[in-house]
Amino acid sequence: GAAPQHTRPLPGVTRSGRRAAGQHDAGPPQRHGETDGRDGEDATLRELARQRRRRGRVGLAVVLVLTVVLGGVAWWFTGGPGAFRTVPPLTGLTLAEAKQQLGPLGLDAVPRYQHDETAPPGHVITTDPQAGQEIRRGGGVVLVFSDGPPRVGVPDVTGLTADQAAEKLAAGYLKTNTNRDWQFDDATPKGNVISTDPPANSQVDNGAVVTLTISKGPQPVDLPDMSGRSQDDALAQLQGLGFKPGIKQEFSDKVPAGTVISQDPHPGPASHGKSVQLTVSKGPQLFDVPDVFGKNVNDATKILTDAGFQVDTNKFMGGPFGLVRQQNPGAHSQQPKGTLITLTVV
């Protein structure tokens, strides 16, 4: 073969690869472009640092956002609008008292009204939600207040008796005041209803008390004494006072004809419009005078006295027979009893 070729060792380096003593390592020889390589490496390091800083800022922002969100959620469910409150017992309270209970809880009062037979007007009957239930803060609690019993109309009971009126009012769920008001009334019979308070057809609470005004009849007035007055005068005066006079006549031996003998009712207080009966004299009763002409004086006297008359005899002396020749008043005239009849006897 070919003779072996020997390579020439680098200066300062032994075959074994060590540098000769006294020689220094001047480093590898620079090549073109070596400085640009270092600059690129530094840029890469700077970019990595920037990325690390950017990731740190993003992480911090995420942490801050999560903190705010979690804090908001915690506030919503513990102290904010999202918090729940337990409705307190409110039955029987007024609106002002209920607001005092709901205000500190952040709850609003929403009033509603309905008729109720038992609960006092203006007091809570029930709530929605009910006591013990939860409601979100800021919500409204419906308060149902009593508006009292339902309203009813007062029926018209005028003209009825007190008992009839009370019965009709009771049928309409109303009560009657036992302390009734009594008044004089010319048009309404005594004991009947004149009016009511509240008046007829007005709207009142169910079970309200109605006061009845009851007629005592016509107003009493002073009835004067009409006896001794003429019939015409008595009639005019009684009619002027509002009475209704009536007339009856009877004979009277003492009271002149056309004059009032008596009245019914007697003088004194009497109801306005009451009937008053007047007894008016027709004068004395008249009787037929018997005819005693030609009769014996004794017989004639007896006939006349039996008829209720008085007899006076006027005798002419010397008459032999004692016979009646004349009578005065004359026969068959109408005379009151007790009238004196004068007989002329011959």
Side-chain angles (χ1 to χ4, degrees), residues 27-81:
Q30 274 190 332
R31 295 184 177 86
H32 180 70
E34 186 176 0
T35 302
D36 292 340
R38 287 199 193 99
D39 290 341
E41 186 176 323
D42 291 341
T44 300
L45 293 174
R46 286 195 295 274
E47 179 63 24
L48 291 174
R50 280 195 299 272
Q51 291 178 359
R52 284 195 296 270
R53 287 194 297 273
R54 186 164 54 249
R55 285 193 298 270
R57 287 194 294 271
V58 171
L60 179 59
V62 171
V63 171
L64 291 175
V65 169
L66 290 175
T67 301
V68 171
V69 171
L70 292 175
V73 170
W75 172 78
W76 176 271
F77 286 103
T78 58

Side-chain angles (χ1 to χ4, degrees), residues 10 203 233 249 303 326:
L10 293 175
Q203 296 294 312
D233 289 344
Q249 294 180 324
I303 293 171
Q326 186 178 357

Side-chain angles (χ1 to χ4, degrees), residues 81 83 85 101-109 135-141:
R85 295 291 184 260
Q101 295 286 331
L102 297 175
L105 300 176
L107 301 176
D108 295 328
I135 183 174
R136 193 178 298 277
R137 182 180 180 183
V141 178

